[in-house]
Amino acid sequence: ITESFGVSSEAKFCFERTSTKDGRHDSIGSSSLSIGPIGKQLPFGARTSIAGKTTIGIRFNETSLSTKNEKLLPFTSLTATTQQTFPLASLNKNPVILALRHAATISSSNLPRHEANAQGVACNIRGYKGKAGRVSTSLVGTTELRVPLPRLDDSKVVLYGDWCTSKATGSSSFTRRSSVGIGFRKGLQGIPLKYDISYTGDGEIKTFFEIGPDFEA
């Protein structure tokens, strides 16, 4: 095992029991391996990174009336994420940055409901918060152009485009969502503030406020 693999990896074993409002009870045992993010410096100050996670497990449906073998439901999921940043120019010694992020997720049909919900949250894009639902397969992309504002410390404008193609659990068809917009970033006493205005593929305009840094490679 290389040093970079050891530093950037994590193995986890988990046993849990879940219940739903409609009376479903599952006992779940799983193991997962996360690798990364592993970053690399590229020419001209650019950077790239990659991260991945795989999970395998088995779900025991306690409320099913099926046979024992049909109650034991194996599942697996795999996620890979890549991120890149490219300095394009400089304004008052602050770089204009092109940032890219792509993430792909695929999982089996027996994925536990709370894991499918988490995958749905992960593939939400700006303008569509909370609309993905339980997801089994998804491909998500983001492109941002980050332009620093002159004479304003720790401030910038972000022009962005987001898109997502996903398949809901139990569905055979894919749903595509996309949005474009403009955002404003400001650091206030070390706290990164984010305000975005999105125009969605459905023709809606949405605004929202968040706290947290932009992604980096």
Coordinates of all heavy atoms in Angstrom, one line a residue, residues 166-207:
S166 N -30.3 11.6 -13.5 CA -30.4 10.7 -12.4 C -31.6 9.7 -12.7 O -32.5 10.0 -13.5 CB -30.7 11.4 -11.1 OG -31.9 12.1 -11.1
K167 N -31.5 8.6 -12.1 CA -32.6 7.6 -12.2 C -33.1 7.2 -10.8 O -32.3 6.9 -9.9 CB -32.1 6.3 -12.8 CG -33.2 5.3 -13.1 CD -32.7 4.1 -13.9 CE -31.8 3.2 -13.2 NZ -31.5 2.0 -13.9
A168 N -34.4 7.4 -10.5 CA -34.9 7.2 -9.2 C -35.0 5.7 -8.9 O -35.0 4.8 -9.8 CB -36.3 7.7 -9.1
T169 N -34.9 5.3 -7.7 CA -35.0 3.9 -7.2 C -36.3 3.3 -7.8 O -37.4 3.8 -7.6 CB -35.0 3.8 -5.7 OG1 -33.7 4.4 -5.3 CG2 -35.0 2.4 -5.3
G170 N -36.2 2.1 -8.4 CA -37.3 1.5 -9.0 C -37.8 2.0 -10.3 O -38.8 1.4 -10.9
S171 N -37.2 3.0 -10.9 CA -37.6 3.5 -12.1 C -36.6 3.0 -13.2 O -35.5 2.7 -13.0 CB -37.5 5.1 -12.1 OG -37.8 5.6 -13.4
S172 N -37.1 3.0 -14.5 CA -36.3 2.5 -15.6 C -35.9 3.7 -16.5 O -35.2 3.5 -17.5 CB -37.1 1.5 -16.5 OG -38.3 2.1 -16.9
S173 N -36.4 4.9 -16.2 CA -36.1 6.1 -17.0 C -35.2 7.1 -16.2 O -35.3 7.1 -15.0 CB -37.4 6.8 -17.5 OG -38.1 7.2 -16.4
F174 N -34.5 7.9 -17.0 CA -33.6 8.9 -16.4 C -34.3 10.3 -16.4 O -35.1 10.6 -17.4 CB -32.3 9.0 -17.1 CG -31.4 7.9 -16.8 CD1 -31.5 6.7 -17.4 CD2 -30.4 8.0 -15.8 CE1 -30.6 5.6 -17.1 CE2 -29.6 7.0 -15.4 CZ -29.7 5.8 -16.1
T175 N -34.0 11.1 -15.4 CA -34.5 12.5 -15.4 C -33.3 13.5 -15.5 O -32.3 13.3 -14.8 CB -35.3 12.8 -14.1 OG1 -36.4 11.9 -14.0 CG2 -35.7 14.2 -14.0
R176 N -33.5 14.5 -16.3 CA -32.4 15.4 -16.5 C -32.8 16.8 -16.0 O -33.9 17.3 -16.2 CB -32.0 15.6 -18.0 CG -30.8 16.6 -18.2 CD -30.4 16.6 -19.6 NE -29.4 17.6 -19.8 CZ -28.1 17.5 -19.6 NH1 -27.6 16.4 -19.1 NH2 -27.3 18.5 -19.8
R177 N -31.9 17.4 -15.2 CA -32.2 18.8 -14.7 C -30.9 19.6 -14.9 O -29.8 19.1 -14.9 CB -32.5 18.7 -13.1 CG -33.7 17.9 -12.8 CD -33.9 17.9 -11.3 NE -32.8 17.2 -10.6 CZ -32.8 15.9 -10.5 NH1 -33.8 15.1 -11.0 NH2 -31.8 15.3 -9.9
S178 N -31.2 20.9 -15.1 CA -30.0 21.8 -15.4 C -30.4 23.2 -14.9 O -31.6 23.6 -14.8 CB -29.7 21.8 -16.9 OG -30.7 22.3 -17.6
S179 N -29.4 24.0 -14.6 CA -29.6 25.4 -14.2 C -28.3 26.2 -14.5 O -27.2 25.6 -14.6 CB -29.9 25.5 -12.7 OG -28.8 25.1 -11.9
V180 N -28.5 27.5 -14.7 CA -27.4 28.4 -14.9 C -27.6 29.6 -13.9 O -28.8 29.8 -13.5 CB -27.2 28.9 -16.3 CG1 -26.9 27.8 -17.3 CG2 -28.5 29.6 -16.8
G181 N -26.6 30.3 -13.6 CA -26.8 31.4 -12.7 C -25.6 32.2 -12.3 O -24.5 32.0 -12.9
I182 N -25.8 33.1 -11.4 CA -24.7 33.9 -10.9 C -24.7 33.9 -9.4 O -25.8 33.8 -8.8 CB -24.9 35.4 -11.4 CG1 -23.7 36.2 -11.0 CG2 -26.2 36.0 -11.0 CD1 -23.7 37.6 -11.6
G183 N -23.5 33.9 -8.8 CA -23.4 33.9 -7.3 C -22.5 34.9 -6.8 O -21.6 35.4 -7.6
F184 N -22.6 35.2 -5.6 CA -21.7 36.2 -4.9 C -21.1 35.6 -3.7 O -21.8 34.9 -2.9 CB -22.5 37.5 -4.5 CG -23.2 38.1 -5.7 CD1 -24.5 37.8 -6.0 CD2 -22.6 39.0 -6.5 CE1 -25.2 38.4 -7.1 CE2 -23.2 39.6 -7.6 CZ -24.5 39.3 -7.9
R185 N -19.8 35.8 -3.5 CA -19.1 35.2 -2.4 C -18.4 36.3 -1.6 O -17.9 37.2 -2.1 CB -18.0 34.2 -2.9 CG -18.5 33.1 -3.8 CD -19.4 32.1 -3.1 NE -19.8 31.0 -4.0 CZ -21.0 31.0 -4.6 NH1 -21.8 32.0 -4.4 NH2 -21.3 30.0 -5.4
K186 N -18.5 36.2 -0.3 CA -17.9 37.1 0.6 C -17.5 36.5 1.9 O -18.2 35.7 2.5 CB -18.9 38.3 0.9 CG -18.4 39.3 2.0 CD -17.2 40.1 1.5 CE -16.7 41.1 2.5 NZ -15.5 41.8 2.1
G187 N -16.2 36.7 2.3 CA -15.8 36.2 3.6 C -16.0 37.3 4.6 O -15.6 38.4 4.5
L188 N -16.7 36.9 5.7 CA -17.0 37.8 6.8 C -16.5 37.3 8.1 O -17.0 36.3 8.6 CB -18.5 38.1 6.8 CG -19.0 39.1 7.9 CD1 -18.5 40.5 7.5 CD2 -20.6 39.1 7.9
Q189 N -15.4 37.9 8.6 CA -14.7 37.5 9.8 C -14.4 36.0 9.7 O -14.6 35.2 10.7 CB -15.6 37.7 11.0 CG -15.8 39.2 11.3 CD -16.6 39.5 12.5 OE1 -17.2 38.6 13.1 NE2 -16.6 40.8 12.9
G190 N -13.9 35.5 8.6 CA -13.5 34.2 8.4 C -14.6 33.2 8.0 O -14.4 32.0 7.8
I191 N -15.9 33.7 7.9 CA -17.0 32.9 7.6 C -17.3 33.1 6.1 O -17.6 34.2 5.7 CB -18.2 33.2 8.4 CG1 -17.9 33.0 9.9 CG2 -19.4 32.3 8.0 CD1 -19.0 33.4 10.8
P192 N -17.2 32.0 5.2 CA -17.5 32.1 3.8 C -19.0 32.2 3.5 O -19.8 31.2 3.8 CB -16.9 30.9 3.2 CG -16.8 29.9 4.3 CD -16.7 30.7 5.6
L193 N -19.5 33.3 3.0 CA -21.0 33.4 2.7 C -21.2 33.3 1.2 O -20.4 33.8 0.4 CB -21.4 34.8 3.2 CG -21.2 35.2 4.7 CD1 -21.7 36.6 5.0 CD2 -21.8 34.1 5.6
K194 N -22.3 32.6 0.9 CA -22.6 32.4 -0.5 C -24.1 32.7 -0.8 O -25.0 32.3 -0.1 CB -22.4 30.9 -0.9 CG -21.0 30.4 -0.5 CD -20.9 28.9 -0.5 CE -21.1 28.3 -1.9 NZ -20.8 26.8 -1.8
Y195 N -24.3 33.5 -1.9 CA -25.7 33.8 -2.3 C -25.7 33.6 -3.8 O -24.9 34.1 -4.6 CB -26.0 35.3 -2.0 CG -27.4 35.7 -2.4 CD1 -28.5 35.3 -1.7 CD2 -27.6 36.4 -3.6 CE1 -29.8 35.6 -2.0 CE2 -28.9 36.8 -3.9 CZ -30.0 36.4 -3.2 OH -31.2 36.7 -3.6
D196 N -26.7 32.7 -4.2 CA -26.8 32.3 -5.6 C -28.2 32.6 -6.2 O -29.2 32.5 -5.5 CB -26.5 30.8 -5.8 CG -25.0 30.5 -5.5 OD1 -24.2 31.2 -6.1 OD2 -24.8 29.5 -4.8
I197 N -28.2 33.0 -7.5 CA -29.5 33.2 -8.2 C -29.4 32.2 -9.4 O -28.5 32.3 -10.2 CB -29.6 34.6 -8.7 CG1 -29.5 35.6 -7.6 CG2 -30.9 34.8 -9.5 CD1 -29.5 37.1 -8.0
S198 N -30.4 31.3 -9.5 CA -30.4 30.3 -10.5 C -31.6 30.5 -11.5 O -32.7 30.8 -11.0 CB -30.5 28.9 -9.9 OG -29.4 28.6 -9.1
Y199 N -31.3 30.2 -12.7 CA -32.4 30.0 -13.7 C -32.4 28.6 -14.1 O -31.5 28.1 -14.7 CB -32.2 30.9 -14.9 CG -33.3 30.8 -16.0 CD1 -34.5 31.4 -15.7 CD2 -33.0 30.1 -17.1 CE1 -35.5 31.3 -16.7 CE2 -34.0 30.0 -18.1 CZ -35.3 30.6 -17.9 OH -36.3 30.5 -18.8
T200 N -33.5 27.9 -13.8 CA -33.5 26.4 -14.0 C -34.0 26.1 -15.4 O -34.6 26.9 -16.1 CB -34.5 25.7 -13.0 OG1 -35.8 26.1 -13.3 CG2 -34.2 26.2 -11.6
G201 N -33.8 24.8 -15.8 CA -34.3 24.3 -17.1 C -35.8 24.3 -17.1 O -36.4 24.1 -18.2
D202 N -36.5 24.4 -16.0 CA -38.0 24.5 -16.0 C -38.5 25.9 -16.1 O -39.7 26.2 -16.0 CB -38.5 23.9 -14.7 CG -38.2 22.4 -14.5 OD1 -38.0 21.8 -15.6 OD2 -38.1 21.9 -13.4
G203 N -37.6 26.9 -16.3 CA -38.0 28.3 -16.5 C -38.2 29.0 -15.2 O -38.9 30.1 -15.2
E204 N -37.7 28.5 -14.1 CA -38.0 29.1 -12.8 C -36.7 29.9 -12.3 O -35.6 29.4 -12.6 CB -38.4 28.1 -11.7 CG -39.7 27.4 -12.0 CD -40.0 26.4 -11.0 OE1 -39.1 25.7 -10.4 OE2 -41.2 26.2 -10.7
I205 N -36.9 30.9 -11.6 CA -35.8 31.6 -10.9 C -35.8 31.4 -9.5 O -36.8 31.6 -8.8 CB -35.9 33.2 -11.2 CG1 -35.8 33.4 -12.7 CG2 -34.8 33.9 -10.5 CD1 -35.9 34.9 -13.1
K206 N -34.7 30.9 -8.9 CA -34.6 30.5 -7.5 C -33.4 31.3 -6.9 O -32.3 31.4 -7.6 CB -34.4 29.0 -7.3 CG -35.6 28.2 -7.9 CD -36.8 28.4 -7.0 CE -38.0 27.6 -7.4 NZ -37.8 26.1 -7.2
T207 N -33.5 31.7 -5.7 CA -32.4 32.3 -5.0 C -32.2 31.5 -3.6 O -33.2 31.0 -3.1 CB -32.6 33.7 -4.6 OG1 -33.8 33.9 -3.8 CG2 -32.9 34.5 -5.9

